[in-house]
Amino acid sequence: MARRVREVAAAALVTPCMPAVAALAMLSVAMAARVRGVVLNIDGSAWRMFPNQFFGVEAVSGGKKTMVRRMMGGAMLTAYAKDLRDRWLSKITIDEHERTIAAGKLKKLRDAEIAGKPVDQSQYNALRERLAVKQICLPEIMLSGGSPEQYVRRLKQSGYSALVPDEGKQALEKFIGGHDGAGEKCSALLSAHTVEFFANDTITGDQRGDSTLPFSVICGGAYLPMQPSVLTPATSHEAQLLAAIQTRGLLARMLVARPRQLAVPERKALREVVARGEIGRDAECDYNDLMHSLLYDGEHGDHPLAPSQPRYM
């Protein structure tokens, strides 16, 4: 992995800390909520937790944030997300079709009951039981954005998902100030990090149908590319955003890379090293094999991202 970090740093002309944090983030996303491991608290006690960590990377526009993310596994995660969609589409279609038919039949029975006509109670109960079964929803390993309400609903549908927007500042602003200016909604992110039950009435918005969503506990990670002004504010608005992030403890849950920009002589020297073949792409296949193994061989149990019985390490 260290060799791959050096290769990507040389290809993108960035310091190694950017691809290193991107690697940790992409590997964390690839493990989803399939496994739990033990970490030690500051007092030495054991704490069993999911690897759903929050990561951030700070760089100016054109600083190769997107390129580095794709080379460190982002491209494979995108392909895996498409494969999941293809594999689950037929299951979702069948479930939706059966629900539509059951809802139609139940409506007819209710209309007949209201009209005073005899109703087959066993059929009535069977239809209600069918509609009460948890929905089959698309497992989405990554989300590019959305409102806090949409974020919570997608996590309840998917079991796990990582917030991977193009611009981390805009994503954070929706949770800090509310997408509609209706107030701070950071609890959704905090609950996703600690893997907690999140009540429907905790957040406004989409609530209809929540009772049949597959998951009540939400679990999510994040990889947030940010402009330097987020952590080094230049305006009063940016200072307020940073203060809110600190107050709510988001920074305490986030590993942030703040790579410096390489000077022109450093970039020139790095290009010469690459041209001489001293740094190639020798580790690319091994790193991609690791990502592929985590994504596909890591699937187990009753759900591809969040099985009811996660493995333990």
Side-chain angles (χ1 to χ4, degrees):
M1 188 180 298
R3 285 190 296 122
R4 183 58 180 159
V5 166
R6 289 192 291 269
E7 290 174 1
V8 173
L13 297 177
V14 297
T15 55
C17 60
M18 185 188 292
V21 168
L24 292 173
M26 297 302 103
L27 294 172
S28 171
V29 174
M31 288 187 281
R34 302 164 173 168
V35 61
R36 298 183 73 182
V38 174
V39 298
L40 294 181
N41 289 316
I42 195 169
D43 62 359
S45 60
W47 178 29
R48 199 172 288 277
M49 62 179 288
F50 289 99
N52 60 314
Q53 298 302 296
F54 286 8
F55 299 88
V57 59
E58 179 189 79
V60 298
S61 296
K64 307 295 181 66
K65 298 187 293 291
T66 301
M67 174 183 178
V68 168
R69 173 174 60 83
R70 289 183 59 82
M71 294 182 73
M72 295 309 299
M76 293 189 69
L77 285 169
T78 300
Y80 177 75
K82 182 181 182 302
D83 181 57
L84 268 183
R85 191 177 302 113
D86 293 341
R87 282 190 278 152
W88 278 68
L89 183 60
S90 60
K91 300 178 185 179
I92 296 169
T93 302
I94 292 171
D95 182 61
E96 290 177 347
H97 179 66
E98 290 179 351
R99 287 180 180 277
T100 300
I101 292 175
K105 290 181 178 180
L106 186 60
K107 183 179 183 304
K108 289 181 179 179
L109 289 178
R110 283 173 174 165
D111 291 343
E113 189 176 39
I114 292 172
K117 297 179 181 178
V119 172
D120 185 341
Q121 195 63 39
S122 61
Q123 184 185 14
Y124 184 87
N125 292 337
L127 290 171
R128 290 193 62 182
E129 289 175 6
R130 174 62 185 90
L131 292 173
V133 173
K134 298 295 184 182
Q135 299 176 39
I136 297 178
C137 299
L138 176 65
E140 296 182 88
I141 196 166
M142 291 190 299
L143 300 174
S144 60
S147 68
E149 294 83 6
Q150 292 168 332
Y151 173 77
V152 171
R153 186 171 179 83
R154 298 280 278 281
L155 291 187
K156 289 185 175 183
Q157 291 173 332
S158 185
Y160 168 89
S161 196
L163 183 61
V164 187
D166 291 330
E167 179 49 61
K169 179 183 177 182
Q170 294 177 355
L172 287 174
E173 284 178 331
K174 293 180 180 179
F175 289 92
I176 297 299
H179 75 288
D180 53 2
E184 185 267 331
K185 300 173 181 176
C186 228
S187 297
L189 283 177
L190 302 179
S191 293
H193 182 268
T194 52
V195 191
E196 296 178 338
F197 172 77
F198 200 86
N200 294 339
D201 56 1
T202 304
I203 201 163
T204 59
D206 254 339
Q207 294 185 17
R208 294 184 60 187
D210 277 2
S211 61
T212 59
L213 294 181
F215 299 91
S216 57
V217 173
I218 62 174
C219 178
Y223 181 71
L224 305 171
M226 296 179 288
Q227 297 286 333
S229 61
V230 175
L231 299 180
T232 309
T235 67
S236 59
H237 173 72
E238 290 168 344
Q240 290 173 355
L241 176 64
L242 177 60
I245 293 173
Q246 292 173 322
T247 301
R248 294 297 275 129
L250 276 177
L251 283 183
R253 294 164 170 81
M254 189 182 302
L255 176 63
V256 180
R258 307 186 73 180
R260 66 178 180 84
Q261 286 186 281
L262 295 179
V264 173
E266 291 176 304
R267 295 164 69 92
K268 181 180 178 181
L270 199 51
R271 286 194 183 99
E272 291 174 353
V273 168
V274 173
R276 291 195 300 267
E278 295 178 23
I279 298 179
R281 300 176 67 173
D282 300 337
E284 182 177 11
C285 289
D286 289 341
Y287 183 81
N288 288 345
D289 286 346
L290 172 61
M291 282 291 298
H292 188 278
S293 176
L294 287 174
L295 288 169
Y296 288 93
D297 298 342
E299 289 187 10
H300 67 93
D302 53 5
H303 194 272
L305 300 182
S308 57
Q309 298 294 326
R311 289 176 177 158
Y312 288 91
M313 295 178 63

